[in-house]
Amino acid sequence: QVQLVESGGGLVQAGGSLRLSCAASGRAFSSYAMGWFRQAPGKEREFVTAISWSGGRSYYRDSVKGRFTISRNNARNTVNLQMNSLKPEDTAVYYCAADRSESEIATIPDYWGQGTQVTVSS
């Protein structure tokens, strides 16, 4: 069982930056692949990025490549999402996710956080 708590959301102007954090509790955090999803009003939840258990591999949706960076600290049980050059279309609730399977982290992760709101004004 893994519990996930996100923080770091807020309001930022277009072109600005935000750093989201996800704190995980429970055993064996380092054995989980971790990811971030987002859901904008009236839209389905979508995959944003994921990172392997070791941090050696990462994956991004095309629209955030070059702007977002995912990282993890297994000693602190945290995963971070650095978001730069933010655009109004990045506005959404961002969710942290965890799964033991790296092949499933981008589709149907087993564990979810409660979400944190990110709003980008134009």
Side-chain angles (χ1 to χ4, degrees), residues 18-63:
L18 279 176
R19 183 178 177 86
L20 305 183
S21 293
C22 175
S25 60
R27 296 182 178 181
F29 170 79
S30 61
S31 67
Y32 285 83
M34 300 296 297
W36 290 91
F37 288 69
R38 66 187 181 187
Q39 186 167 18
K43 296 187 177 181
E44 293 188 353
R45 191 173 299 188
E46 64 182 18
F47 169 78
V48 177
T49 179
I51 190 166
S52 64
W53 65 271
S54 67
R57 293 177 297 278
S58 57
Y59 313 89
Y60 298 89
R61 70 179 299 108
D62 287 346
S63 62

CSV table of all heavy atoms in Angstrom, one decimal, residues 18-63:
chain,number,residue,atom,x,y,z
A,18,LEU,N,6.7,26.2,-12.1
A,18,LEU,CA,6.2,25.6,-10.9
A,18,LEU,C,6.9,24.3,-10.6
A,18,LEU,O,7.3,23.6,-11.6
A,18,LEU,CB,4.7,25.4,-10.9
A,18,LEU,CG,3.7,26.6,-10.6
A,18,LEU,CD1,2.3,26.1,-10.8
A,18,LEU,CD2,4.0,27.1,-9.2
A,19,ARG,N,7.0,24.0,-9.4
A,19,ARG,CA,7.6,22.7,-9.0
A,19,ARG,C,6.6,21.9,-8.2
A,19,ARG,O,6.3,22.4,-7.1
A,19,ARG,CB,8.9,22.8,-8.3
A,19,ARG,CG,9.7,21.5,-8.0
A,19,ARG,CD,11.0,21.9,-7.3
A,19,ARG,NE,11.7,20.7,-6.9
A,19,ARG,CZ,12.6,20.0,-7.7
A,19,ARG,NH1,12.7,20.4,-8.9
A,19,ARG,NH2,13.2,19.0,-7.2
A,20,LEU,N,6.1,20.8,-8.6
A,20,LEU,CA,5.2,20.0,-7.9
A,20,LEU,C,6.1,18.9,-7.2
A,20,LEU,O,7.0,18.4,-7.7
A,20,LEU,CB,4.2,19.3,-8.8
A,20,LEU,CG,3.4,20.2,-9.6
A,20,LEU,CD1,2.3,19.4,-10.4
A,20,LEU,CD2,2.7,21.3,-8.8
A,21,SER,N,5.6,18.5,-6.0
A,21,SER,CA,6.2,17.4,-5.2
A,21,SER,C,5.2,16.4,-4.8
A,21,SER,O,4.0,16.8,-4.6
A,21,SER,CB,6.9,18.0,-4.0
A,21,SER,OG,8.0,18.8,-4.3
A,22,CYS,N,5.6,15.2,-4.7
A,22,CYS,CA,4.7,14.1,-4.3
A,22,CYS,C,5.5,13.3,-3.2
A,22,CYS,O,6.6,12.8,-3.5
A,22,CYS,CB,4.4,13.2,-5.4
A,22,CYS,SG,3.4,11.7,-5.0
A,23,ALA,N,4.9,13.3,-2.0
A,23,ALA,CA,5.5,12.6,-0.9
A,23,ALA,C,4.8,11.2,-0.8
A,23,ALA,O,3.5,11.2,-0.7
A,23,ALA,CB,5.4,13.4,0.4
A,24,ALA,N,5.5,10.2,-0.7
A,24,ALA,CA,5.0,8.8,-0.6
A,24,ALA,C,5.2,8.2,0.7
A,24,ALA,O,6.3,8.3,1.3
A,24,ALA,CB,5.5,7.9,-1.7
A,25,SER,N,4.2,7.6,1.3
A,25,SER,CA,4.4,6.8,2.5
A,25,SER,C,4.1,5.3,2.2
A,25,SER,O,3.3,5.0,1.3
A,25,SER,CB,3.6,7.3,3.6
A,25,SER,OG,2.2,7.3,3.2
A,26,GLY,N,4.6,4.5,3.0
A,26,GLY,CA,4.4,3.1,2.8
A,26,GLY,C,5.8,2.4,2.4
A,26,GLY,O,6.8,3.1,2.2
A,27,ARG,N,5.7,1.1,2.3
A,27,ARG,CA,7.0,0.4,2.1
A,27,ARG,C,7.4,0.4,0.7
A,27,ARG,O,6.6,0.4,-0.2
A,27,ARG,CB,6.8,-1.0,2.7
A,27,ARG,CG,6.5,-1.1,4.1
A,27,ARG,CD,6.4,-2.5,4.6
A,27,ARG,NE,6.2,-2.6,6.1
A,27,ARG,CZ,6.1,-3.7,6.7
A,27,ARG,NH1,6.2,-4.9,6.1
A,27,ARG,NH2,5.9,-3.7,8.0
A,28,ALA,N,8.7,0.2,0.5
A,28,ALA,CA,9.3,-0.1,-0.8
A,28,ALA,C,9.0,0.9,-1.9
A,28,ALA,O,8.7,0.5,-3.0
A,28,ALA,CB,8.8,-1.5,-1.3
A,29,PHE,N,9.1,2.2,-1.5
A,29,PHE,CA,8.8,3.2,-2.5
A,29,PHE,C,9.8,3.0,-3.7
A,29,PHE,O,9.4,3.3,-4.8
A,29,PHE,CB,9.1,4.6,-1.8
A,29,PHE,CG,9.1,5.7,-2.8
A,29,PHE,CD1,8.0,6.3,-3.3
A,29,PHE,CD2,10.3,6.3,-3.2
A,29,PHE,CE1,8.0,7.3,-4.2
A,29,PHE,CE2,10.4,7.3,-4.1
A,29,PHE,CZ,9.2,7.9,-4.6
A,30,SER,N,11.0,2.6,-3.4
A,30,SER,CA,12.0,2.6,-4.5
A,30,SER,C,11.7,1.4,-5.5
A,30,SER,O,12.3,1.3,-6.5
A,30,SER,CB,13.4,2.4,-3.9
A,30,SER,OG,13.4,1.2,-3.2
A,31,SER,N,10.7,0.6,-5.2
A,31,SER,CA,10.3,-0.5,-6.1
A,31,SER,C,9.2,-0.1,-7.0
A,31,SER,O,8.8,-0.8,-7.9
A,31,SER,CB,10.0,-1.7,-5.4
A,31,SER,OG,8.8,-1.5,-4.6
A,32,TYR,N,8.7,1.2,-6.9
A,32,TYR,CA,7.6,1.6,-7.7
A,32,TYR,C,8.0,2.6,-8.8
A,32,TYR,O,8.8,3.5,-8.6
A,32,TYR,CB,6.6,2.4,-6.8
A,32,TYR,CG,5.7,1.5,-5.9
A,32,TYR,CD1,6.2,1.0,-4.7
A,32,TYR,CD2,4.4,1.1,-6.3
A,32,TYR,CE1,5.4,0.2,-3.9
A,32,TYR,CE2,3.7,0.3,-5.5
A,32,TYR,CZ,4.2,-0.2,-4.3
A,32,TYR,OH,3.4,-1.0,-3.5
A,33,ALA,N,7.4,2.4,-10.0
A,33,ALA,CA,7.5,3.4,-11.0
A,33,ALA,C,6.5,4.5,-10.5
A,33,ALA,O,5.5,4.2,-9.9
A,33,ALA,CB,7.1,2.9,-12.3
A,34,MET,N,6.9,5.8,-10.8
A,34,MET,CA,6.1,6.9,-10.4
A,34,MET,C,5.7,7.8,-11.6
A,34,MET,O,6.4,7.8,-12.6
A,34,MET,CB,6.8,7.8,-9.4
A,34,MET,CG,7.3,7.0,-8.1
A,34,MET,SD,5.9,6.5,-7.2
A,34,MET,CE,5.1,8.1,-6.7
A,35,GLY,N,4.6,8.4,-11.5
A,35,GLY,CA,4.1,9.2,-12.6
A,35,GLY,C,3.3,10.4,-12.2
A,35,GLY,O,2.9,10.5,-11.1
A,36,TRP,N,3.0,11.3,-13.2
A,36,TRP,CA,2.1,12.4,-13.0
A,36,TRP,C,1.1,12.4,-14.2
A,36,TRP,O,1.4,12.1,-15.3
A,36,TRP,CB,2.9,13.7,-13.1
A,36,TRP,CG,3.7,14.0,-11.9
A,36,TRP,CD1,5.1,13.7,-11.8
A,36,TRP,CD2,3.4,14.6,-10.7
A,36,TRP,NE1,5.5,14.0,-10.5
A,36,TRP,CE2,4.5,14.6,-9.8
A,36,TRP,CE3,2.2,15.2,-10.2
A,36,TRP,CZ2,4.5,15.2,-8.6
A,36,TRP,CZ3,2.2,15.7,-8.9
A,36,TRP,CH2,3.3,15.8,-8.1
A,37,PHE,N,-0.1,12.6,-13.8
A,37,PHE,CA,-1.3,12.8,-14.7
A,37,PHE,C,-1.9,14.1,-14.5
A,37,PHE,O,-1.6,14.8,-13.4
A,37,PHE,CB,-2.3,11.7,-14.5
A,37,PHE,CG,-1.9,10.3,-14.9
A,37,PHE,CD1,-0.9,9.6,-14.3
A,37,PHE,CD2,-2.5,9.7,-16.0
A,37,PHE,CE1,-0.5,8.3,-14.7
A,37,PHE,CE2,-2.1,8.4,-16.4
A,37,PHE,CZ,-1.1,7.8,-15.8
A,38,ARG,N,-2.7,14.5,-15.4
A,38,ARG,CA,-3.5,15.8,-15.2
A,38,ARG,C,-4.9,15.7,-15.8
A,38,ARG,O,-5.1,14.9,-16.7
A,38,ARG,CB,-2.7,17.0,-15.8
A,38,ARG,CG,-2.6,16.9,-17.3
A,38,ARG,CD,-1.7,18.1,-17.8
A,38,ARG,NE,-1.6,18.1,-19.2
A,38,ARG,CZ,-0.7,18.9,-19.9
A,38,ARG,NH1,0.1,19.8,-19.2
A,38,ARG,NH2,-0.7,18.9,-21.2
A,39,GLN,N,-5.7,16.5,-15.2
A,39,GLN,CA,-7.1,16.5,-15.7
A,39,GLN,C,-7.6,18.0,-15.7
A,39,GLN,O,-7.7,18.6,-14.7
A,39,GLN,CB,-8.0,15.7,-14.8
A,39,GLN,CG,-9.4,15.5,-15.4
A,39,GLN,CD,-10.2,14.4,-14.7
A,39,GLN,OE1,-9.9,14.0,-13.6
A,39,GLN,NE2,-11.3,14.0,-15.4
A,40,ALA,N,-7.9,18.4,-16.9
A,40,ALA,CA,-8.4,19.8,-17.1
A,40,ALA,C,-9.9,19.7,-17.0
A,40,ALA,O,-10.5,18.7,-17.3
A,40,ALA,CB,-8.0,20.3,-18.5
A,41,PRO,N,-10.6,20.8,-16.7
A,41,PRO,CA,-12.1,20.8,-16.7
A,41,PRO,C,-12.7,20.3,-17.9
A,41,PRO,O,-12.4,20.8,-19.0
A,41,PRO,CB,-12.4,22.3,-16.4
A,41,PRO,CG,-11.2,22.9,-15.8
A,41,PRO,CD,-10.0,22.1,-16.4
A,42,GLY,N,-13.6,19.4,-17.8
A,42,GLY,CA,-14.4,18.9,-18.9
A,42,GLY,C,-13.6,17.9,-19.8
A,42,GLY,O,-14.1,17.5,-20.9
A,43,LYS,N,-12.4,17.6,-19.4
A,43,LYS,CA,-11.6,16.6,-20.2
A,43,LYS,C,-11.2,15.4,-19.3
A,43,LYS,O,-11.3,15.4,-18.1
A,43,LYS,CB,-10.3,17.3,-20.6
A,43,LYS,CG,-10.5,18.5,-21.6
A,43,LYS,CD,-9.2,19.0,-22.1
A,43,LYS,CE,-9.5,20.1,-23.2
A,43,LYS,NZ,-8.2,20.7,-23.7
A,44,GLU,N,-10.8,14.4,-20.1
A,44,GLU,CA,-10.4,13.2,-19.4
A,44,GLU,C,-9.0,13.3,-18.8
A,44,GLU,O,-8.2,14.1,-19.2
A,44,GLU,CB,-10.4,12.0,-20.4
A,44,GLU,CG,-11.7,11.6,-20.9
A,44,GLU,CD,-11.7,10.3,-21.7
A,44,GLU,OE1,-10.6,9.8,-22.0
A,44,GLU,OE2,-12.8,9.9,-22.0
A,45,ARG,N,-8.7,12.5,-17.8
A,45,ARG,CA,-7.4,12.5,-17.2
A,45,ARG,C,-6.4,12.0,-18.2
A,45,ARG,O,-6.7,11.0,-18.9
A,45,ARG,CB,-7.4,11.7,-15.9
A,45,ARG,CG,-6.1,11.8,-15.1
A,45,ARG,CD,-6.3,11.0,-13.8
A,45,ARG,NE,-7.4,11.5,-13.0
A,45,ARG,CZ,-7.6,11.1,-11.7
A,45,ARG,NH1,-6.8,10.2,-11.1
A,45,ARG,NH2,-8.6,11.7,-11.0
A,46,GLU,N,-5.2,12.6,-18.3
A,46,GLU,CA,-4.2,12.2,-19.2
A,46,GLU,C,-2.8,12.1,-18.6
A,46,GLU,O,-2.5,12.8,-17.6
A,46,GLU,CB,-4.1,13.3,-20.4
A,46,GLU,CG,-3.7,14.6,-20.0
A,46,GLU,CD,-3.6,15.6,-21.2
A,46,GLU,OE1,-4.3,15.4,-22.2
A,46,GLU,OE2,-3.0,16.7,-21.0
A,47,PHE,N,-2.1,11.2,-19.2
A,47,PHE,CA,-0.7,10.9,-18.8
A,47,PHE,C,0.2,12.1,-19.1
A,47,PHE,O,0.1,12.7,-20.2
A,47,PHE,CB,-0.2,9.7,-19.5
A,47,PHE,CG,1.3,9.5,-19.3
A,47,PHE,CD1,1.8,9.0,-18.1
A,47,PHE,CD2,2.1,9.8,-20.3
A,47,PHE,CE1,3.2,8.8,-18.0
A,47,PHE,CE2,3.5,9.6,-20.2
A,47,PHE,CZ,4.0,9.1,-19.0
A,48,VAL,N,1.0,12.5,-18.2
A,48,VAL,CA,2.0,13.6,-18.4
A,48,VAL,C,3.4,13.1,-18.5
A,48,VAL,O,4.1,13.3,-19.5
A,48,VAL,CB,1.9,14.7,-17.3
A,48,VAL,CG1,2.9,15.8,-17.5
A,48,VAL,CG2,0.5,15.2,-17.2
A,49,THR,N,3.8,12.3,-17.4
A,49,THR,CA,5.2,11.9,-17.4
A,49,THR,C,5.3,10.7,-16.4
A,49,THR,O,4.5,10.6,-15.5
A,49,THR,CB,6.2,13.0,-17.0
A,49,THR,OG1,7.5,12.6,-16.9
A,49,THR,CG2,5.8,13.6,-15.6
A,50,ALA,N,6.4,9.9,-16.5
A,50,ALA,CA,6.6,8.9,-15.6
A,50,ALA,C,8.1,8.6,-15.5
A,50,ALA,O,8.9,9.0,-16.4
A,50,ALA,CB,5.9,7.6,-16.0
A,51,ILE,N,8.5,8.0,-14.4
A,51,ILE,CA,9.9,7.7,-14.1
A,51,ILE,C,10.0,6.3,-13.6
A,51,ILE,O,9.2,5.8,-12.8
A,51,ILE,CB,10.5,8.7,-13.2
A,51,ILE,CG1,12.1,8.6,-13.1
A,51,ILE,CG2,9.9,8.7,-11.8
A,51,ILE,CD1,12.7,9.8,-12.5
A,52,SER,N,11.1,5.6,-14.0
A,52,SER,CA,11.3,4.2,-13.5
A,52,SER,C,11.7,4.2,-12.0
A,52,SER,O,12.0,5.2,-11.5
A,52,SER,CB,12.4,3.5,-14.4
A,52,SER,OG,13.6,4.2,-14.2
A,53,TRP,N,11.7,3.0,-11.5
A,53,TRP,CA,12.0,2.9,-10.0
A,53,TRP,C,13.4,3.4,-9.7
A,53,TRP,O,13.6,3.9,-8.6
A,53,TRP,CB,11.8,1.4,-9.6
A,53,TRP,CG,12.8,0.5,-10.2
A,53,TRP,CD1,12.7,-0.2,-11.4
A,53,TRP,CD2,14.2,0.2,-9.7
A,53,TRP,NE1,13.9,-0.9,-11.7
A,53,TRP,CE2,14.8,-0.7,-10.7
A,53,TRP,CE3,14.9,0.6,-8.6
A,53,TRP,CZ2,16.1,-1.2,-10.5
A,53,TRP,CZ3,16.1,0.1,-8.4
A,53,TRP,CH2,16.7,-0.8,-9.3
A,54,SER,N,14.3,3.2,-10.6
A,54,SER,CA,15.7,3.7,-10.4
A,54,SER,C,15.9,5.1,-10.7
A,54,SER,O,16.9,5.7,-10.4
A,54,SER,CB,16.6,2.8,-11.1
A,54,SER,OG,16.5,3.0,-12.5
A,55,GLY,N,15.0,5.7,-11.5
A,55,GLY,CA,15.2,7.0,-12.0
A,55,GLY,C,15.9,7.0,-13.3
A,55,GLY,O,16.2,8.1,-13.9
A,56,GLY,N,16.3,5.9,-13.8
A,56,GLY,CA,17.1,5.8,-15.0
A,56,GLY,C,16.4,6.0,-16.3
A,56,GLY,O,17.0,6.3,-17.3
A,57,ARG,N,15.1,5.9,-16.3
A,57,ARG,CA,14.3,6.1,-17.5
A,57,ARG,C,13.1,7.0,-17.2
A,57,ARG,O,12.5,6.9,-16.1
A,57,ARG,CB,13.7,4.7,-18.0
A,57,ARG,CG,14.8,3.8,-18.5
A,57,ARG,CD,14.2,2.4,-18.9
A,57,ARG,NE,13.6,1.7,-17.8
A,57,ARG,CZ,14.3,1.0,-16.9
A,57,ARG,NH1,15.6,0.9,-17.0
A,57,ARG,NH2,13.7,0.4,-15.9
A,58,SER,N,12.8,7.8,-18.1
A,58,SER,CA,11.7,8.7,-17.9
A,58,SER,C,10.9,8.9,-19.3
A,58,SER,O,11.5,8.6,-20.3
A,58,SER,CB,12.1,10.1,-17.4
A,58,SER,OG,13.0,10.7,-18.3
A,59,TYR,N,9.7,9.2,-19.2
A,59,TYR,CA,8.8,9.3,-20.3
A,59,TYR,C,7.9,10.5,-20.2
A,59,TYR,O,7.5,10.9,-19.1
A,59,TYR,CB,7.9,8.0,-20.3
A,59,TYR,CG,8.6,6.7,-20.1
A,59,TYR,CD1,8.8,6.2,-18.8
A,59,TYR,CD2,9.1,6.0,-21.2
A,59,TYR,CE1,9.4,5.0,-18.6
A,59,TYR,CE2,9.7,4.8,-21.0
A,59,TYR,CZ,9.9,4.3,-19.7
A,59,TYR,OH,10.6,3.1,-19.5
A,60,TYR,N,7.6,11.1,-21.4
A,60,TYR,CA,6.8,12.4,-21.4
A,60,TYR,C,5.8,12.4,-22.5
A,60,TYR,O,6.1,11.8,-23.6
A,60,TYR,CB,7.8,13.6,-21.5
A,60,TYR,CG,8.8,13.8,-20.4
A,60,TYR,CD1,10.0,13.2,-20.5
A,60,TYR,CD2,8.5,14.5,-19.3
A,60,TYR,CE1,11.0,13.3,-19.5
A,60,TYR,CE2,9.4,14.7,-18.3
A,60,TYR,CZ,10.7,14.1,-18.4
A,60,TYR,OH,11.6,14.3,-17.4
A,61,ARG,N,4.7,13.0,-22.3
A,61,ARG,CA,3.8,13.2,-23.4
A,61,ARG,C,4.5,14.3,-24.3
A,61,ARG,O,5.2,15.2,-23.8
A,61,ARG,CB,2.4,13.6,-23.0
A,61,ARG,CG,2.3,15.0,-22.3
A,61,ARG,CD,0.8,15.2,-21.9
A,61,ARG,NE,-0.1,15.2,-23.1
A,61,ARG,CZ,-1.0,14.2,-23.3
A,61,ARG,NH1,-1.0,13.2,-22.5
A,61,ARG,NH2,-1.8,14.2,-24.4
A,62,ASP,N,4.2,14.3,-25.5
A,62,ASP,CA,4.8,15.2,-26.5
A,62,ASP,C,4.7,16.6,-26.1
A,62,ASP,O,5.6,17.4,-26.3
A,62,ASP,CB,4.3,14.9,-27.9
A,62,ASP,CG,4.8,13.6,-28.5
A,62,ASP,OD1,5.7,13.0,-27.9
A,62,ASP,OD2,4.2,13.2,-29.5
A,63,SER,N,3.5,17.0,-25.7
A,63,SER,CA,3.3,18.5,-25.4
A,63,SER,C,4.1,19.1,-24.3
A,63,SER,O,4.1,20.3,-24.2
A,63,SER,CB,1.8,18.7,-25.2
A,63,SER,OG,1.4,18.0,-24.0
